[in-house]
Amino acid sequence: MANDSRRRASIFREVGLESDDSLPSPQPGSVRKERPQSVRFRSKDEIHVFEQYHDDDHAPVAERDHFQRAEHTSTVPPARVSQSPLPSFANTTMYRIGVCVLLIAAAVPLLPRGFIEGHRSALPIQGVSGGPIPEKAVSPKVFDLDKRADTPTDWCFKWAQQSAIVNGTLYLYGGEATTEDGQTSNTWNNDFLTIDLTKDWQISTPSLTGLPRPSGPPDVALGYLWNSYDSLYLYGGQFSWKPPVEPEPFSLWEYDIADSSWTEHSNPETSSGKSATDEGEPVQRSAEGAGVSVPSLGRGFYFGGHLDAYTTPGWDVSVWRLYLQSLLEYTFPGYANPQVSSLSGDDTAGSDGVYRNITNAGLQDTAGFTRRADGLLIYVPGFGDQGILLALAGGTNTTFTQMNVLNVYDIAKSSWYLQSTSGPTPKIRVNPCAVVAAAADGSSYNIYMFGGQNLIPAGNQTQFNDMWILSLPTFTWIQVDQGGQSLPDGRSGHTCNVWDAQMVMVGGYTGGQLSCEYPATYVFDLSNLQWVQQFTALSANAKDASDNPLNQQGNQKASGGDPGGLEGSYGYQVPDAVISVIGGDKDGHATITTPIQTATAGPLKTGSPVTYTITGSNGATITETAIGGSKGGSTSSDDDGSGGPNIAAIVVGVICGLLFLLICYLLFCLFLYRKQLALYKRHVEMTQRQAAGEKPPAIPGLWTSDSAKTSSERPKPPAGLFASSNGEGSSHVGSHGASQAGSGGQTSSNTAAGGYSSVRRSSDESSTESDLLGGREPTFVGVMLHPRRSLRVTNRD
C-alpha cells in the first residue's frame, strides 16, 4: 500500500496527528531534551525501556527511559517512519529472505493475540468518515472465566493498579507487581482481586480474594476502572515497556458483577455534543490520566494523561510522548445524557455506551489550562445542577500543576473554571491519591489527599507521606497533624477508596527503601484523623444496612429517583481540625459556606451546596431522608431502638434554669448596690456641706425646711424624735448651729440651725445606720456577699 499523507484525527484534539506540521521534527544537530527519571515507580537503575533500531547505515540509537517525558513532540514523515519497535532489515539477499519467511511462518502461531492486528495499524492511518454511531457496532465478545486460574493474593510490591468500590466490595485490577525482591521486569499483569468491606479485618490480614484472571482484558497499568451500580469498565492504561509489548487496538472491557463475565466493546467512537469534538472519531487509549466515576449520573470521566508507544498501536518510538488536556466522558449503557448529540431527547445509551471528547469547555482551550498527567479528579455533589469535578496535582516532565489555583468543571454546563484556595498550600506533586467525604448535613465536603512524589531533581525523586484536607466550599487547605502515629512510607502510584468513612489505601511505589511490602494495605479513619490497625465495617453492622447499599450518610440515602448524597460517607463526622477553620460541629453546620477567596464565576459563585436536615444527635443513624435542604422529614429513633428520655436535653434544660436564676440574683444585687451607693453619696454630700457651713438642701422625707430662718420659725418635730440626754430637751446642736449661738444669735435647746445634725434620728438609729454603711463606699461584690445587710441599709432610707 502506498503511503498516504492523511492521518487519522485523534480523539484528543491536542494529539496532533492530523498532519505532519503539528509535530515539529528535531533540528539537525539538536540534542533531544531528556526528561528526568519520573513517576513510573522504578528504581534508579531501571531507566532503559526499549531498544530503537534503524537501518544498517545508521548508528544505533541509545536506549531511552520510557518514562522520560518530553515537553514537545516531534515526528518523522510517514515514508521514513519505523512504525514498530521490532528490528527492520534492508538490502537482504534472497537467502536471508527465505530464512526470514520460514522463521515468520513458524513464529506466527506462537504470537500473542492481537499482535498481528497491532502491526497492521502501523501502516499510515487513514481518515475516518464521520457518521452516526451505530447502537452496536460489533457483537460483544463474552469470555467465560470459569476455567481460568485464580489471581494469587500475595506479592512483594504492588502499584499502579486500577480500583473501584461497588456495594461494599473493593475491586483491584492489573497494574504492576513483583513477587520477589529485586525483580525488575515482567511486572505488568491482569490480576483481578477483591477486598471485602462488609466485615472487619486487620491491615496485616486484609480480606483478600483472588478472582479468575480474565482471558481477554489486557495487562495494563495506570488506567482507570469506571463503575456503575452493577458493572466495571476498564479504560486506558499502558502496556509493558520491560519487556516491550506492542499495545493492542483499544477496546473497552466491561465486567458484569452479577454474571462474573467480561465483555469487549471494540472500535469505540465519539459522539458530538456540547464543548466536544466531532462525532465518529476513534477513541484512543490514554494512560496516567485522572479518572472518576459518578454512578448517580451514569457517567465516568477521564482527564488528561498521555499517549505514547505503549498506549497507541503504531506509535513510532521516535515520537515523543504527548500530554493531554482533554476530558473524556463515557455515558454508561442505559443512561441518558442530554449534552450528547446522539442522546437527544430522552434517549439512553445503547449496550456499548456513548463517548464524548470534551476539548473546548470554557477555559480548557486557553494557554493557561495546562496539559497534565498523574493527577486527580474528584467528584463533589451539591454544586450546580449535577455537581462539579475538581482537578488536583499532576504535571509533565518539567512543569507541574499549581495547587493554590484549581480547575473546577461544572458537569451540567460542560465548562471549566478557576478557583483560588486559602491556607498553606501542599508542595507540587504527581501520583497522590485522594478520597472525599460529606458532612451529615452537606454543609461541607472534605477531600483527603495522601502521598505522591516530586520528580525534581532528576534521579532524586521524593516520595511524600503527608496528609492534606481540602475543605469545600471554603476551598481551604488544612495539613493533618500525623505526629505520634505509625505512618505508611512515602509513596506514589497507590490507590485510595472510601467506605464507612475510612480510606482504604493499597500498594504504591516507595522509592526502593523497602525490600518487600506485603500486603501494603492501610486504613485511615477520616473522622479521627488516625491511621488505624483494622478496617471496621460500620454500615454492615447497622440495622439499616440493607437499605443503604451506597454507604451514604443516614439522612442522605437514595430514595426513589433521588440519588441521595455522596457514597462512602456513612458514619463520617467532621474532624476538629476542620471545625476550627470552617466552624460548626461534627455533623456539619459549617458557619463558612462560601469560598474564602471569592469565586468569580461558575457554580461556586452563583450556587450553594445541597443541605440535609438532621433530626438526631448523629446524622449517620437517621433512617428518614430530608433532601435538598427541605425543612420536612420525620423523626427517627436511635440505633438501639429505645424510646427513653433524652439525657442531653435534660442536662441542657437544667443548665439553662440555673443560669436564669443566677442572672435574676445578679440583677437583684445590682438594684441593691445602686440604692446603697446613692445613700452613701448623699451622706457624703451633706457631711461636706455641713463642714463648709452651707445650708443643706431639702431632702424629701426628712424633718427640715429650707425656708426656716431661725429655730423659732421652724416647726417643731414630733415629741420624742430627738431624745434628750437629760430627759428635758435636746442638747444636740450641730456645729453650724453652735457657731450661730456663739455669735449672739438665738439658739434652741432642741434644734439645730438647718444643719444635717438637726434632722438625724436618735442616737441608737444613727449608730445602726453608720454600722450598716460601714464608713466606706459600697461595692458590687460586697452587695453580692452580704445581700441581707445591703437590703437593711436600703430599707432604712
Side-chain angles (χ1 to χ4, degrees):
M1 180 184 294
N3 286 333
D4 194 333
S5 60
R6 295 176 298 167
R7 309 186 70 135
R8 181 176 62 185
S10 166
I11 179 177
F12 300 101
R13 171 168 292 183
E14 63 275 20
V15 169
L17 296 182
E18 290 82 352
S19 67
D20 295 334
D21 297 333
S22 61
L23 298 173
S25 300
Q27 297 299 323
S30 63
V31 178
R32 175 180 298 177
K33 182 177 180 182
E34 296 292 338
R35 70 184 275 280
Q37 184 180 357
S38 176
V39 66
R40 286 333 122 208
F41 326 126
R42 319 306 301 165
S43 58
K44 288 187 277 190
D45 57 342
E46 298 178 53
I47 60 174
H48 301 295
V49 180
F50 57 82
E51 293 180 343
Q52 185 178 36
Y53 297 90
H54 290 257
D55 293 340
D56 294 336
D57 55 345
H58 290 79
V61 178
E63 295 179 340
R64 75 176 179 91
D65 183 358
H66 165 64
F67 299 115
Q68 288 188 337
R69 300 176 171 177
E71 191 171 11
H72 304 288
T73 62
S74 62
T75 188
V76 180
R80 295 183 288 118
V81 170
S82 173
Q83 297 292 334
S84 171
L86 301 179
S88 62
F89 302 90
N91 302 321
T92 59
T93 63
M94 293 298 294
Y95 171 76
R96 296 176 66 184
I97 292 176
V99 172
C100 291
V101 170
L102 292 175
L103 292 175
I104 292 174
V108 165
L110 303 177
L111 290 176
R113 177 186 175 278
F115 185 83
I116 299 301
E117 290 83 346
H119 282 279
R120 286 174 182 169
S121 66
L123 296 174
I125 302 173
Q126 303 299 317
V128 177
S129 176
I133 297 178
E135 182 175 329
K136 198 171 185 179
V138 179
S139 298
K141 304 174 186 177
V142 180
F143 293 81
D144 186 2
L145 305 180
D146 291 342
K147 298 181 180 180
R148 299 286 296 178
D150 287 346
T151 300
T153 57
D154 59 343
W155 54 79
C156 183
F157 285 105
K158 187 173 184 63
W159 69 99
Q161 68 273 358
Q162 293 76 212
S163 66
I165 291 182
V166 179
N167 196 23
T169 299
L170 172 59
Y171 294 86
L172 302 169
Y173 180 87
E176 297 184 58
T178 61
T179 57
E180 58 185 16
D181 184 18
Q183 180 181 346
T184 59
S185 62
N186 297 309
T187 59
W188 272 257
N189 60 76
N190 66 344
D191 291 349
F192 196 28
L193 304 109
T194 64
I195 299 179
D196 190 354
L197 303 179
T198 64
K199 62 178 62 174
D200 299 350
W201 43 262
Q202 300 289 323
I203 64 172
S204 58
T205 55
S207 183
L208 277 168
T209 301
L211 299 181
R213 282 172 166 161
S215 58
D219 302 352
V220 292
L222 299 168
Y224 198 77
L225 205 59
W226 289 321
N227 71 275
S228 65
Y229 293 133
D230 48 22
S231 294
L232 306 176
Y233 302 90
L234 176 62
Y235 170 78
Q238 64 181 19
F239 283 66
S240 171
W241 58 268
K242 194 173 185 178
V245 174
E246 175 78 3
E248 302 173 359
F250 172 65
S251 293
L252 183 76
W253 286 91
E254 176 185 357
Y255 178 73
D256 187 289
I257 296 175
D259 294 340
S260 300
S261 62
W262 288 91
T263 301
E264 180 183 15
H265 301 279
S266 58
N267 303 320
E269 295 181 339
T270 63
S271 176
S272 62
K274 187 173 182 180
S275 304
T277 56
D278 295 334
E279 65 180 15
E281 294 185 349
V283 177
Q284 296 190 29
R285 176 187 294 109
S286 176
E288 293 188 292
V292 69
S293 299
V294 189
S296 60
L297 297 177
R299 300 180 215 174
F301 298 87
Y302 195 83
F303 177 55
H306 75 260
L307 304 176
D308 63 12
Y310 299 99
T311 65
T312 309
W315 188 285
D316 190 80
V317 295
S318 65
V319 179
W320 290 349
R321 172 178 293 176
L322 287 174
Y323 291 96
L324 310 174
Q325 63 185 32
S326 298
L327 178 65
L328 180 65
E329 177 194 73
Y330 177 63
T331 303
F332 301 150
Y335 283 85
N337 188 349
Q339 299 181 76
V340 177
S341 299
S342 62
L343 300 180
S344 58
D346 296 330
D347 293 343
T348 59
S351 60
D352 290 328
V354 175
Y355 297 86
R356 180 169 58 129
N357 183 30
I358 302 166
T359 59
N360 57 352
L363 300 174
Q364 189 177 11
D365 57 355
T366 64
F369 196 92
T370 59
R371 294 172 170 84
R372 72 196 74 179
D374 306 317
L376 299 169
L377 196 63
I378 307 297
Y379 168 68
V380 179
F383 297 93
D385 294 334
Q386 296 178 332
I388 60 176
L389 302 179
L390 190 65
L392 296 173
T396 62
N397 61 318
T398 56
T399 61
F400 300 89
T401 304
Q402 58 190 341
M403 303 284 273
N404 61 333
V405 178
L406 306 178
N407 296 112
V408 179
Y409 178 76
D410 186 342
I411 297 177
K413 302 294 184 183
S414 294
S415 188
W416 285 96
Y417 303 91
L418 291 176
Q419 177 58 48
S420 298
T421 66
S422 60
T425 305
K427 294 180 180 178
I428 55 176
R429 64 193 66 202
V430 297
N431 282 112
C433 78
V435 298
V436 58
D441 68 348
S443 61
S444 68
Y445 294 88
N446 298 305
I447 300 170
Y448 293 73
M449 182 181 72
F450 178 79
Q453 72 174 354
N454 186 0
L455 300 180
I456 297 175
N460 190 25
Q461 296 96 325
T462 301
Q463 286 77 38
F464 301 116
N465 68 344
D466 52 349
M467 177 77 75
W468 291 82
I469 299 175
L470 179 64
S471 183
L472 270 63
T474 63
F475 276 84
T476 303
W477 282 109
I478 304 167
Q479 185 169 12
V480 176
D481 181 6
Q482 301 180 98
Q485 301 188 44
S486 178
L487 303 181
D489 292 278
R491 64 193 59 229
S492 59
H494 45 301
T495 56
C496 292
N497 302 85
V498 59
W499 196 259
D500 282 337
Q502 297 161 86
M503 183 179 76
V504 180
M505 184 177 74
V506 179
Y509 171 70
T510 59
Q513 63 263 33
L514 300 176
S515 58
C516 277
E517 186 185 36
Y518 176 81
T521 303
Y522 302 92
V523 177
F524 185 78
D525 185 336
L526 302 180
S527 300
N528 297 312
L529 305 183
Q530 293 286 327
W531 291 100
V532 294
Q533 297 302 308
Q534 84 165 28
F535 176 83
T536 303
L538 300 176
S539 58
N541 299 323
K543 65 179 183 181
D544 61 343
S546 60
D547 63 345
N548 191 12
L550 304 183
N551 202 245
Q552 297 164 318
Q553 289 275 24
N555 58 324
Q556 300 183 21
K557 291 189 302 182
S559 61
D562 197 304
L566 194 66
E567 299 175 22
S569 297
Y570 184 91
Y572 176 71
Q573 294 184 321
V574 182
D576 292 337
V578 177
I579 295 174
S580 65
V581 175
I582 67 173
D585 54 32
K586 293 185 178 298
D587 288 333
H589 304 108
T591 56
I592 305 177
T593 56
T594 58
I596 293 179
Q597 303 295 331
T598 304
T600 57
L604 295 166
K605 176 178 176 60
T606 60
S608 60
V610 175
T611 56
Y612 301 85
T613 301
I614 298 178
T615 57
S617 59
N618 187 335
T621 64
I622 300 173
T623 58
E624 297 295 330
T625 306
I627 299 298
S630 63
K631 297 181 180 179
S634 59
T635 60
S636 62
S637 61
D638 296 335
D639 281 345
D640 57 5
S642 63
N646 191 330
I647 303 300
I650 295 175
V651 172
V652 171
V654 171
I655 293 176
C656 291
L658 294 176
L659 289 176
F660 175 78
L661 294 177
L662 177 62
I663 292 173
C664 292
Y665 174 74
L666 293 177
L667 292 175
F668 174 70
C669 292
L670 178 63
F671 168 78
L672 294 181
Y673 167 72
R674 293 172 62 88
K675 295 288 289 183
Q676 187 174 346
L677 183 62
L679 288 174
Y680 175 81
K681 290 181 178 180
R682 186 171 62 186
H683 171 78
V684 172
E685 179 185 4
M686 289 189 170
T687 300
Q688 290 175 348
R689 286 178 177 269
Q690 182 177 342
E694 299 177 0
K695 179 182 179 181
I699 301 176
L702 297 182
W703 291 100
T704 183
S705 174
D706 289 348
S707 60
K709 302 297 182 183
T710 65
S711 59
S712 61
E713 297 175 338
R714 298 189 184 100
K716 293 183 178 181
L721 179 60
F722 295 125
S724 175
S725 59
N726 56 10
E728 296 177 354
S730 177
S731 61
H732 286 284
V733 179
S735 58
H736 181 63
S739 61
Q740 287 181 336
S743 60
Q746 299 175 352
T747 63
S748 172
S749 62
N750 60 352
T751 61
Y756 178 57
S757 300
S758 64
V759 295
R760 293 184 63 185
R761 299 178 176 91
S762 66
S763 59
D764 292 339
E765 295 170 339
S766 297
S767 63
T768 302
E769 179 178 338
S770 177
D771 290 340
L772 291 175
L773 288 174
R776 294 186 303 272
E777 181 176 354
T779 63
F780 182 76
V781 175
V783 172
M784 291 178 58
L785 296 177
H786 304 285
R788 294 181 61 188
R789 179 179 178 184
S790 301
L791 183 60
R792 290 174 59 193
V793 172
T794 303
N795 290 338
R796 281 187 174 274
D797 186 12

